[in-house]
Amino acid sequence: MAKDPRKAAEKLLRKAEKAARKARKAADRAETAAAAPAAAPAAAKAGPLVSPLAPAEFPELPAIAGVEFAAGAAGIKYKDRTDVMLVRLAPGTAIAGAFTRSSTRAACVLDCQDKLAGNPGSDQGAAIVVNSGNANAFTGAAGQRSVDAVTGAVARALGVPARRVFSSSTGVIGEPLPHERITAILDDLAGGLDEGGIASAARAIMTTDTFPKGAGAEIAAEGGSIRIAGIAKGSGMIAPDMATMLVYIFTDAKIEPKLLQRILSAQMDETFNAITVDSDTSTSDALIVAATGQAQAAPITDLRSKTARAFTQALAGVMRDLAQQVVRDGEGATKFVEVQVTGAASAADAHKVAMAIANSPLVKTAIAGEDANWGRVVMAVGKSGAQADRDRLSIRFGDMVLAENGWRAPGYDEAAASAYMKREHLVIGVDLGLGRGARTVWTCDLTHRYIDINADYRS
Protein backbone atom coordinates (compact mmCIF):
# COMPACT_ATOMS: atom_id res chain seq x y z
CA MET A 1 0.00 0.00 0.00
CA ALA A 2 1.36 3.46 -0.90
CA LYS A 3 2.25 5.70 2.00
CA ASP A 4 0.03 8.68 2.72
CA PRO A 5 2.16 11.65 1.53
CA ARG A 6 0.61 14.01 4.08
CA LYS A 7 1.40 11.69 6.99
CA ALA A 8 4.93 11.25 5.69
CA ALA A 9 5.35 15.01 5.47
CA GLU A 10 4.00 15.49 8.99
CA LYS A 11 6.43 12.88 10.29
CA LEU A 12 9.35 14.68 8.66
CA LEU A 13 8.13 18.00 10.07
CA ARG A 14 7.97 16.57 13.60
CA LYS A 15 11.51 15.26 13.25
CA ALA A 16 12.73 18.64 12.04
CA GLU A 17 10.97 20.43 14.88
CA LYS A 18 12.45 18.03 17.42
CA ALA A 19 15.95 18.60 16.04
CA ALA A 20 15.44 22.36 16.15
CA ARG A 21 14.20 22.18 19.74
CA LYS A 22 17.24 20.17 20.81
CA ALA A 23 19.52 22.69 19.13
CA ARG A 24 17.87 25.61 20.93
CA LYS A 25 18.10 23.86 24.28
CA ALA A 26 21.78 23.11 23.70
CA ALA A 27 22.39 26.80 23.03
CA ASP A 28 20.43 27.86 26.12
CA ARG A 29 22.43 25.55 28.35
CA ALA A 30 25.82 26.62 27.03
CA GLU A 31 27.76 28.70 29.55
CA THR A 32 28.85 31.16 26.88
CA ALA A 33 28.98 31.31 23.10
CA ALA A 34 32.76 30.81 23.29
CA ALA A 35 32.42 27.77 25.51
CA ALA A 36 30.08 26.09 23.06
CA PRO A 37 30.86 27.37 19.58
CA ALA A 38 29.14 24.48 17.82
CA ALA A 39 25.80 24.89 19.60
CA ALA A 40 25.26 28.56 18.77
CA PRO A 41 25.45 28.15 14.96
CA ALA A 42 23.08 25.18 15.15
CA ALA A 43 20.55 27.21 17.11
CA ALA A 44 20.96 30.17 14.81
CA LYS A 45 20.43 28.00 11.76
CA ALA A 46 17.34 26.34 13.21
CA GLY A 47 15.96 29.62 14.52
CA PRO A 48 12.75 30.02 16.52
CA LEU A 49 9.67 28.43 15.02
CA VAL A 50 7.54 31.55 14.67
CA SER A 51 3.79 30.96 14.51
CA PRO A 52 2.51 30.88 10.92
CA LEU A 53 -0.31 33.10 12.17
CA ALA A 54 2.05 35.84 13.40
CA PRO A 55 1.75 39.38 12.05
CA ALA A 56 4.44 40.47 9.61
CA GLU A 57 6.06 42.76 12.17
CA PHE A 58 5.62 44.46 15.53
CA PRO A 59 3.29 47.43 15.02
CA GLU A 60 4.30 51.08 15.19
CA LEU A 61 2.74 52.11 18.49
CA PRO A 62 2.02 55.68 19.57
CA ALA A 63 4.32 57.07 22.24
CA ILE A 64 2.43 57.69 25.48
CA ALA A 65 3.46 60.80 27.39
CA GLY A 66 4.43 59.92 30.94
CA VAL A 67 5.52 56.32 30.23
CA GLU A 68 9.11 55.10 29.88
CA PHE A 69 10.38 51.56 29.27
CA ALA A 70 13.56 49.57 29.81
CA ALA A 71 14.44 45.91 29.32
CA GLY A 72 17.41 43.83 30.36
CA ALA A 73 18.85 40.36 30.94
CA ALA A 74 18.93 39.13 34.54
CA GLY A 75 19.61 35.46 33.77
CA ILE A 76 16.54 34.28 35.67
CA LYS A 77 16.28 31.04 33.69
CA TYR A 78 18.34 31.49 30.53
CA LYS A 79 21.66 33.23 30.08
CA ASP A 80 21.93 36.18 27.70
CA ARG A 81 18.16 36.45 27.23
CA THR A 82 16.21 39.64 27.88
CA ASP A 83 13.88 38.72 30.72
CA VAL A 84 13.03 41.82 32.77
CA MET A 85 10.85 44.79 31.85
CA LEU A 86 10.72 48.00 33.86
CA VAL A 87 8.16 50.77 33.29
CA ARG A 88 8.20 54.18 34.95
CA LEU A 89 4.88 56.04 35.12
CA ALA A 90 4.49 59.77 35.67
CA PRO A 91 3.05 61.23 38.89
CA GLY A 92 -0.73 61.19 38.93
CA THR A 93 -1.08 58.06 36.77
CA ALA A 94 -4.36 56.21 37.35
CA ILE A 95 -4.06 52.41 37.56
CA ALA A 96 -6.69 49.70 36.95
CA GLY A 97 -6.31 45.96 36.73
CA ALA A 98 -7.81 42.52 36.14
CA PHE A 99 -6.29 39.29 37.39
CA THR A 100 -6.59 35.53 37.34
CA ARG A 101 -9.23 34.01 39.59
CA SER A 102 -7.14 30.90 40.12
CA SER A 103 -7.19 29.73 43.75
CA THR A 104 -3.43 29.10 43.48
CA ARG A 105 -2.55 32.53 42.09
CA ALA A 106 0.97 33.81 42.44
CA ALA A 107 2.29 36.15 45.13
CA CYS A 108 2.70 39.02 42.66
CA VAL A 109 -0.98 38.74 41.67
CA LEU A 110 -2.10 38.86 45.31
CA ASP A 111 0.21 41.83 45.90
CA CYS A 112 -1.20 43.77 42.91
CA GLN A 113 -4.76 43.06 43.98
CA ASP A 114 -4.02 44.31 47.48
CA LYS A 115 -2.42 47.50 46.18
CA LEU A 116 -5.34 48.23 43.84
CA ALA A 117 -8.03 47.58 46.46
CA GLY A 118 -10.22 50.64 46.61
CA ASN A 119 -8.52 52.14 43.55
CA PRO A 120 -6.64 54.86 45.48
CA GLY A 121 -5.53 57.88 43.47
CA SER A 122 -2.06 59.32 43.86
CA ASP A 123 -0.11 62.39 42.86
CA GLN A 124 3.06 60.33 43.07
CA GLY A 125 4.72 58.28 40.39
CA ALA A 126 4.28 54.55 39.82
CA ALA A 127 6.11 51.64 38.20
CA ILE A 128 5.63 48.18 36.74
CA VAL A 129 8.31 45.47 36.84
CA VAL A 130 7.94 42.12 35.09
CA ASN A 131 10.16 39.08 34.82
CA SER A 132 9.90 36.01 32.60
CA GLY A 133 11.37 32.56 33.22
CA ASN A 134 9.96 32.09 36.74
CA ALA A 135 6.32 32.53 37.82
CA ASN A 136 7.05 32.93 41.56
CA ALA A 137 3.89 30.87 42.09
CA PHE A 138 3.38 28.14 44.70
CA THR A 139 6.49 29.39 46.48
CA GLY A 140 5.01 29.91 49.97
CA ALA A 141 6.06 32.85 52.12
CA ALA A 142 9.23 33.16 50.06
CA GLY A 143 7.09 34.33 47.16
CA GLN A 144 5.91 37.45 48.99
CA ARG A 145 9.43 38.12 50.26
CA SER A 146 10.63 38.11 46.65
CA VAL A 147 7.83 40.47 45.61
CA ASP A 148 8.69 42.82 48.47
CA ALA A 149 12.39 42.71 47.60
CA VAL A 150 11.80 43.51 43.93
CA THR A 151 9.12 46.17 44.38
CA GLY A 152 11.06 47.76 47.23
CA ALA A 153 14.20 47.97 45.12
CA VAL A 154 12.24 49.49 42.22
CA ALA A 155 10.70 52.04 44.59
CA ARG A 156 14.15 53.10 45.78
CA ALA A 157 15.63 53.20 42.28
CA LEU A 158 12.83 55.35 40.85
CA GLY A 159 11.80 57.35 43.91
CA VAL A 160 8.19 56.13 43.95
CA PRO A 161 6.13 54.63 46.80
CA ALA A 162 6.43 50.85 47.14
CA ARG A 163 2.62 50.61 47.12
CA ARG A 164 2.69 52.14 43.65
CA VAL A 165 5.03 49.48 42.27
CA PHE A 166 3.22 46.59 40.54
CA SER A 167 5.06 43.38 39.72
CA SER A 168 4.36 40.33 37.57
CA SER A 169 6.21 37.07 37.05
CA THR A 170 5.73 34.42 34.39
CA GLY A 171 7.40 31.08 33.72
CA VAL A 172 7.96 27.89 35.69
CA ILE A 173 5.69 27.29 38.71
CA GLY A 174 7.05 26.06 42.04
CA GLU A 175 10.60 27.38 41.84
CA PRO A 176 11.83 30.16 44.17
CA LEU A 177 12.35 33.41 42.29
CA PRO A 178 16.04 34.44 42.24
CA HIS A 179 15.00 38.02 42.90
CA GLU A 180 18.53 39.17 43.61
CA ARG A 181 19.25 38.77 39.90
CA ILE A 182 16.47 41.25 39.16
CA THR A 183 17.49 43.78 41.81
CA ALA A 184 21.09 43.59 40.60
CA ILE A 185 20.20 45.12 37.22
CA LEU A 186 17.63 47.71 38.34
CA ASP A 187 20.06 50.62 38.37
CA ASP A 188 21.05 49.84 34.77
CA LEU A 189 17.39 49.56 33.79
CA ALA A 190 16.53 52.83 35.51
CA GLY A 191 19.35 54.54 33.61
CA GLY A 192 18.07 53.21 30.30
CA LEU A 193 14.40 54.21 30.58
CA ASP A 194 13.12 55.46 27.24
CA GLU A 195 9.71 56.58 25.97
CA GLY A 196 10.30 54.60 22.78
CA GLY A 197 11.27 51.29 24.38
CA ILE A 198 7.93 49.51 24.26
CA ALA A 199 8.96 46.95 21.61
CA SER A 200 11.92 45.78 23.70
CA ALA A 201 9.66 45.59 26.73
CA ALA A 202 7.23 43.37 24.80
CA ARG A 203 10.06 40.94 24.00
CA ALA A 204 11.30 40.86 27.59
CA ILE A 205 8.06 39.37 28.92
CA MET A 206 7.87 36.47 26.42
CA THR A 207 8.14 32.84 27.54
CA THR A 208 7.03 30.28 24.94
CA ASP A 209 5.71 33.12 22.77
CA THR A 210 7.09 33.10 19.25
CA PHE A 211 6.51 36.80 18.60
CA PRO A 212 6.06 39.99 20.66
CA LYS A 213 2.50 41.33 20.78
CA GLY A 214 1.48 44.96 20.52
CA ALA A 215 -1.55 47.05 19.58
CA GLY A 216 -2.42 50.73 19.65
CA ALA A 217 -5.04 53.33 18.86
CA GLU A 218 -5.53 57.10 18.73
CA ILE A 219 -8.83 58.93 18.95
CA ALA A 220 -9.89 62.53 18.47
CA ALA A 221 -11.40 64.03 21.60
CA GLU A 222 -12.46 67.40 22.93
CA GLY A 223 -9.33 69.53 23.21
CA GLY A 224 -6.97 67.07 21.54
CA SER A 225 -6.24 63.41 20.87
CA ILE A 226 -5.99 60.42 23.24
CA ARG A 227 -3.46 57.68 22.59
CA ILE A 228 -3.42 54.04 23.66
CA ALA A 229 -0.60 51.50 23.37
CA GLY A 230 -0.54 47.97 24.74
CA ILE A 231 1.66 44.88 24.88
CA ALA A 232 0.94 41.30 25.90
CA LYS A 233 2.52 37.91 26.36
CA GLY A 234 0.75 34.58 26.15
CA SER A 235 0.96 31.37 24.17
CA GLY A 236 0.00 28.41 26.35
CA MET A 237 -2.04 27.84 29.53
CA ILE A 238 -4.67 30.09 27.95
CA ALA A 239 -8.26 29.98 29.21
CA PRO A 240 -10.79 32.46 30.60
CA ASP A 241 -10.55 33.97 34.09
CA MET A 242 -8.79 35.98 32.45
CA ALA A 243 -6.89 33.82 30.02
CA THR A 244 -3.28 33.03 30.76
CA MET A 245 -1.18 35.99 29.95
CA LEU A 246 0.32 39.28 31.01
CA VAL A 247 -1.06 42.47 29.47
CA TYR A 248 0.01 46.08 29.97
CA ILE A 249 -1.91 48.92 28.34
CA PHE A 250 -0.92 52.58 28.54
CA THR A 251 -2.88 55.70 27.68
CA ASP A 252 -2.47 59.44 28.17
CA ALA A 253 -6.17 59.90 28.93
CA LYS A 254 -7.20 61.99 31.92
CA ILE A 255 -9.49 59.71 33.94
CA GLU A 256 -10.00 58.78 37.57
CA PRO A 257 -9.01 55.24 38.67
CA LYS A 258 -12.58 54.16 39.47
CA LEU A 259 -13.89 55.14 36.04
CA LEU A 260 -10.89 53.49 34.35
CA GLN A 261 -11.58 50.29 36.30
CA ARG A 262 -15.25 50.33 35.29
CA ILE A 263 -14.35 50.65 31.61
CA LEU A 264 -11.73 47.91 31.82
CA SER A 265 -13.96 45.46 33.69
CA ALA A 266 -16.81 45.98 31.23
CA GLN A 267 -14.62 44.90 28.29
CA MET A 268 -13.18 41.71 29.76
CA ASP A 269 -15.86 39.19 28.76
CA GLU A 270 -15.73 40.15 25.09
CA THR A 271 -11.92 40.17 24.89
CA PHE A 272 -9.58 38.36 27.26
CA ASN A 273 -12.32 36.12 28.67
CA ALA A 274 -13.33 35.08 25.15
CA ILE A 275 -10.14 33.27 24.15
CA THR A 276 -8.77 29.82 24.85
CA VAL A 277 -5.82 27.78 23.63
CA ASP A 278 -5.87 24.77 25.92
CA SER A 279 -8.52 25.35 28.64
CA ASP A 280 -5.90 25.80 31.39
CA THR A 281 -6.11 28.87 33.63
CA SER A 282 -2.82 30.33 34.85
CA THR A 283 -1.67 31.19 38.35
CA SER A 284 -0.21 34.45 37.12
CA ASP A 285 -2.62 36.29 34.78
CA ALA A 286 -2.45 40.05 35.10
CA LEU A 287 -3.77 42.95 33.07
CA ILE A 288 -2.80 46.47 34.13
CA VAL A 289 -4.03 49.66 32.48
CA ALA A 290 -2.19 52.89 33.29
CA ALA A 291 -3.59 56.32 32.37
CA THR A 292 -1.01 59.08 32.77
CA GLY A 293 -3.42 61.99 32.32
CA GLN A 294 -0.98 63.87 30.09
CA ALA A 295 -3.16 64.16 26.98
CA GLN A 296 -4.30 67.63 25.91
CA ALA A 297 -7.84 66.27 25.63
CA ALA A 298 -10.44 67.14 28.24
CA PRO A 299 -10.80 64.76 31.20
CA ILE A 300 -13.18 61.81 30.95
CA THR A 301 -15.65 62.30 33.78
CA ASP A 302 -18.91 60.93 32.40
CA LEU A 303 -19.03 57.49 30.77
CA ARG A 304 -22.00 58.64 28.68
CA SER A 305 -20.00 61.41 26.98
CA LYS A 306 -18.90 61.17 23.36
CA THR A 307 -15.22 61.08 24.36
CA ALA A 308 -15.81 58.37 26.94
CA ARG A 309 -17.65 56.21 24.42
CA ALA A 310 -14.90 56.68 21.83
CA PHE A 311 -12.21 55.89 24.41
CA THR A 312 -14.07 52.79 25.55
CA GLN A 313 -14.42 51.55 21.97
CA ALA A 314 -10.73 52.19 21.26
CA LEU A 315 -9.58 50.47 24.45
CA ALA A 316 -11.81 47.49 23.67
CA GLY A 317 -10.29 47.32 20.19
CA VAL A 318 -6.75 47.25 21.58
CA MET A 319 -7.73 44.58 24.11
CA ARG A 320 -9.41 42.45 21.42
CA ASP A 321 -6.40 42.78 19.12
CA LEU A 322 -4.00 41.67 21.85
CA ALA A 323 -6.27 38.81 22.91
CA GLN A 324 -6.49 37.51 19.35
CA GLN A 325 -2.72 37.79 18.93
CA VAL A 326 -2.35 35.52 21.96
CA VAL A 327 -4.52 32.92 20.22
CA ARG A 328 -2.56 33.34 16.98
CA ASP A 329 0.54 32.49 19.00
CA GLY A 330 -1.09 29.51 20.70
CA GLU A 331 1.50 26.84 21.29
CA GLY A 332 1.81 24.88 18.05
CA ALA A 333 -1.09 26.72 16.40
CA THR A 334 -1.55 26.62 12.64
CA LYS A 335 -5.23 27.70 12.49
CA PHE A 336 -7.03 30.71 13.98
CA VAL A 337 -10.62 29.72 14.78
CA GLU A 338 -13.61 31.93 15.50
CA VAL A 339 -16.54 30.19 17.17
CA GLN A 340 -19.84 32.06 16.77
CA VAL A 341 -22.78 30.85 18.83
CA THR A 342 -26.23 32.39 18.36
CA GLY A 343 -29.81 31.48 19.23
CA ALA A 344 -29.01 30.31 22.77
CA ALA A 345 -31.56 30.48 25.55
CA SER A 346 -29.24 32.91 27.40
CA ALA A 347 -25.86 34.60 27.06
CA ALA A 348 -24.51 32.20 29.69
CA ASP A 349 -25.63 29.20 27.62
CA ALA A 350 -24.06 30.71 24.50
CA HIS A 351 -20.78 31.02 26.41
CA LYS A 352 -20.98 27.39 27.57
CA VAL A 353 -21.50 26.11 24.04
CA ALA A 354 -18.80 28.33 22.52
CA MET A 355 -16.22 27.23 25.08
CA ALA A 356 -17.20 23.56 24.83
CA ILE A 357 -16.45 23.72 21.10
CA ALA A 358 -13.33 25.86 21.45
CA ASN A 359 -11.82 23.64 24.17
CA SER A 360 -12.70 20.24 22.70
CA PRO A 361 -9.52 18.26 21.91
CA LEU A 362 -11.49 16.32 19.29
CA VAL A 363 -12.68 19.48 17.55
CA LYS A 364 -9.24 21.07 17.74
CA THR A 365 -7.37 18.03 16.40
CA ALA A 366 -9.85 17.69 13.54
CA ILE A 367 -9.11 21.31 12.66
CA ALA A 368 -5.37 20.61 12.83
CA GLY A 369 -5.85 17.72 10.41
CA GLU A 370 -8.09 19.83 8.15
CA ASP A 371 -10.86 17.31 8.67
CA ALA A 372 -14.39 18.71 8.21
CA ASN A 373 -15.72 16.55 11.05
CA TRP A 374 -18.73 18.63 12.06
CA GLY A 375 -20.05 15.72 14.09
CA ARG A 376 -17.51 16.69 16.74
CA VAL A 377 -19.19 20.08 16.97
CA VAL A 378 -22.50 18.30 17.58
CA MET A 379 -20.78 16.37 20.36
CA ALA A 380 -19.39 19.54 21.96
CA VAL A 381 -22.81 21.22 21.96
CA GLY A 382 -24.33 18.20 23.64
CA LYS A 383 -21.73 18.01 26.41
CA SER A 384 -21.72 21.76 27.16
CA GLY A 385 -24.46 21.67 29.77
CA ALA A 386 -26.40 24.37 27.94
CA GLN A 387 -30.02 23.98 26.88
CA ALA A 388 -30.12 22.50 23.37
CA ASP A 389 -32.63 20.89 21.03
CA ARG A 390 -31.26 18.54 18.39
CA ASP A 391 -34.00 19.39 15.91
CA ARG A 392 -33.39 23.15 16.11
CA LEU A 393 -29.64 23.04 15.87
CA SER A 394 -27.75 24.29 12.82
CA ILE A 395 -24.00 24.21 12.13
CA ARG A 396 -21.97 26.05 9.53
CA PHE A 397 -18.34 26.31 8.52
CA GLY A 398 -17.84 29.78 7.09
CA ASP A 399 -20.88 30.43 4.86
CA MET A 400 -21.62 26.73 4.32
CA VAL A 401 -24.53 25.23 6.25
CA LEU A 402 -23.53 21.67 7.10
CA ALA A 403 -26.33 20.59 9.39
CA GLU A 404 -29.79 21.90 10.25
CA ASN A 405 -33.06 20.74 11.77
CA GLY A 406 -31.38 17.79 13.46
CA TRP A 407 -29.98 16.37 10.21
CA ARG A 408 -27.28 16.86 7.63
CA ALA A 409 -28.16 19.81 5.40
CA PRO A 410 -29.66 18.84 2.01
CA GLY A 411 -27.01 20.85 0.16
CA TYR A 412 -24.08 19.46 2.15
CA ASP A 413 -20.91 19.18 0.07
CA GLU A 414 -18.11 17.14 1.68
CA ALA A 415 -15.52 18.30 -0.84
CA ALA A 416 -16.35 21.97 -0.31
CA ALA A 417 -16.25 21.57 3.48
CA SER A 418 -12.87 19.82 3.27
CA ALA A 419 -11.50 22.55 1.03
CA TYR A 420 -12.64 25.21 3.52
CA MET A 421 -10.70 23.50 6.34
CA LYS A 422 -7.41 24.25 4.56
CA ARG A 423 -7.76 27.96 5.35
CA GLU A 424 -5.73 29.56 8.16
CA HIS A 425 -8.73 31.53 9.51
CA LEU A 426 -11.82 29.42 10.14
CA VAL A 427 -15.30 30.30 11.39
CA ILE A 428 -17.47 27.69 13.09
CA GLY A 429 -21.06 28.87 13.50
CA VAL A 430 -23.70 27.25 15.69
CA ASP A 431 -27.28 28.45 16.03
CA LEU A 432 -29.28 26.75 18.79
CA GLY A 433 -32.65 28.12 17.65
CA LEU A 434 -33.84 28.73 21.21
CA GLY A 435 -33.44 32.41 22.01
CA ARG A 436 -31.31 35.53 21.58
CA GLY A 437 -28.21 34.57 23.57
CA ALA A 438 -24.97 34.95 21.61
CA ARG A 439 -21.23 34.74 22.19
CA THR A 440 -18.13 34.74 19.99
CA VAL A 441 -14.86 33.24 21.21
CA TRP A 442 -11.49 32.61 19.57
CA THR A 443 -9.29 29.55 19.72
CA CYS A 444 -6.73 27.63 17.68
CA ASP A 445 -6.07 24.08 16.58
CA LEU A 446 -4.22 21.45 18.64
CA THR A 447 -1.12 20.04 16.94
CA HIS A 448 1.73 17.74 17.85
CA ARG A 449 3.85 20.86 18.33
CA TYR A 450 1.84 21.66 21.48
CA ILE A 451 3.07 18.40 22.99
CA ASP A 452 6.64 19.09 21.90
CA ILE A 453 6.62 22.46 23.67
CA ASN A 454 5.00 21.29 26.88
CA ALA A 455 6.46 17.82 27.32
CA ASP A 456 9.73 19.24 28.67
CA TYR A 457 8.87 22.85 29.62
CA ARG A 458 10.37 22.54 33.10
CA SER A 459 13.47 20.57 32.11
Side-chain angles (χ1 to χ4, degrees):
M1 180 181 294
K3 291 184 178 180
D4 185 334
R6 189 174 68 179
K7 289 184 178 180
E10 289 174 346
K11 185 176 180 181
L12 288 173
L13 177 60
R14 288 196 296 270
K15 286 184 177 180
E17 289 175 342
K18 185 176 181 181
R21 181 161 50 89
K22 286 183 176 180
R24 289 197 306 276
K25 289 183 71 175
D28 287 334
R29 289 171 177 169
E31 288 295 322
T32 64
K45 184 177 180 180
L49 294 173
V50 178
S51 169
L53 307 174
E57 58 186 1
F58 190 80
E60 183 96 19
L61 298 180
I64 307 299
V67 186
E68 298 171 291
F69 303 88
I76 293 168
K77 184 177 180 182
Y78 302 106
K79 292 182 180 297
D80 303 318
R81 173 172 167 174
T82 303
D83 55 6
V84 178
M85 172 189 87
L86 179 66
V87 182
R88 177 164 60 191
L89 301 165
T93 296
I95 308 288
F99 304 91
T100 179
R101 284 177 274 187
S102 167
S103 58
T104 55
R105 54 195 180 276
C108 50
V109 172
L110 295 170
D111 186 68
C112 286
Q113 289 178 309
D114 175 66
K115 289 173 177 176
L116 284 176
N119 265 324
S122 176
D123 292 331
Q124 297 173 297
I128 300 170
V129 59
V130 185
N131 74 267
S132 61
N134 184 307
N136 192 23
F138 207 73
T139 49
Q144 186 61 49
R145 288 195 293 270
S146 291
V147 169
D148 292 341
V150 171
T151 57
V154 169
R156 291 188 293 273
L158 300 184
V160 300
R163 283 198 64 82
R164 292 270 287 171
V165 180
F166 302 90
S167 70
S168 300
S169 296
T170 181
V172 173
I173 295 170
E175 288 294 318
L177 177 68
H179 59 260
E180 67 283 353
R181 300 181 190 177
I182 301 173
T183 58
I185 68 168
L186 284 178
D187 286 343
D188 288 341
L189 291 176
L193 286 162
D194 178 11
E195 189 179 70
I198 192 168
S200 295
R203 292 183 180 90
I205 62 177
M206 292 166 54
T207 50
T208 58
D209 304 58
T210 70
F211 63 89
K213 301 162 185 67
E218 185 169 354
I219 63 168
E222 183 184 350
S225 63
I226 294 175
R227 295 178 170 184
I228 304 172
I231 58 175
K233 68 81 51 180
S235 185
M237 207 185 287
I238 302 293
D241 286 337
M242 37 143 297
T244 307
M245 68 202 115
L246 301 179
V247 184
Y248 307 95
I249 301 175
F250 309 95
T251 177
D252 54 8
K254 292 185 179 77
I255 184 170
E256 289 298 312
K258 289 184 178 180
L259 283 183
L260 184 62
Q261 185 66 56
R262 284 178 61 186
I263 292 174
L264 170 62
S265 298
Q267 307 310 314
M268 291 300 298
D269 282 348
E270 301 296 328
T271 58
F272 292 112
N273 282 339
I275 64 172
T276 180
V277 168
D278 49 21
S279 82
D280 285 333
T281 297
S282 170
T283 60
S284 307
D285 296 347
L287 188 164
I288 293 176
V289 179
T292 66
Q294 298 200 12
Q296 295 300 311
I300 297 173
T301 58
D302 183 352
L303 296 185
R304 296 167 297 182
S305 70
K306 182 178 179 180
T307 296
R309 292 197 303 270
F311 175 74
T312 298
Q313 184 177 9
L315 179 62
V318 169
M319 291 169 65
R320 187 180 304 107
D321 190 338
L322 291 172
Q324 291 184 1
Q325 286 187 57
V326 169
V327 171
R328 290 180 181 278
D329 202 15
E331 290 173 340
T334 66
K335 307 282 188 181
F336 178 78
V337 186
E338 184 171 316
V339 181
Q340 301 174 347
V341 176
T342 55
S346 65
D349 270 7
H351 180 78
K352 287 180 183 178
V353 171
M355 282 299 173
I357 296 167
N359 281 325
S360 167
L362 286 176
V363 172
K364 290 160 74 73
T365 50
I367 293 169
E370 300 179 341
D371 180 11
N373 193 341
W374 54 269
R376 292 182 177 179
V377 177
V378 174
M379 172 278 300
V381 173
K383 75 165 187 176
S384 68
Q387 182 180 344
D389 184 332
R390 181 198 64 188
D391 294 335
R392 297 187 182 187
L393 181 69
S394 66
I395 298 171
R396 60 180 170 82
F397 285 0
D399 294 330
M400 292 179 291
V401 177
L402 310 181
E404 58 185 351
N405 303 321
W407 187 252
R408 188 175 68 185
Y412 176 72
D413 185 332
E414 180 80 17
S418 296
Y420 178 77
M421 298 302 291
K422 298 185 182 301
R423 298 185 183 186
E424 281 189 348
H425 183 170
L426 302 172
V427 176
I428 296 175
V430 171
D431 190 277
L432 297 170
L434 298 173
R436 301 179 65 181
R439 173 56 62 90
T440 296
V441 304
W442 300 278
T443 189
C444 58
D445 55 345
L446 181 60
T447 70
H448 198 281
R449 176 73 180 145
Y450 182 89
I451 299 172
D452 291 340
I453 292 168
N454 288 286
D456 60 359
Y457 181 77
R458 184 181 176 93
S459 57

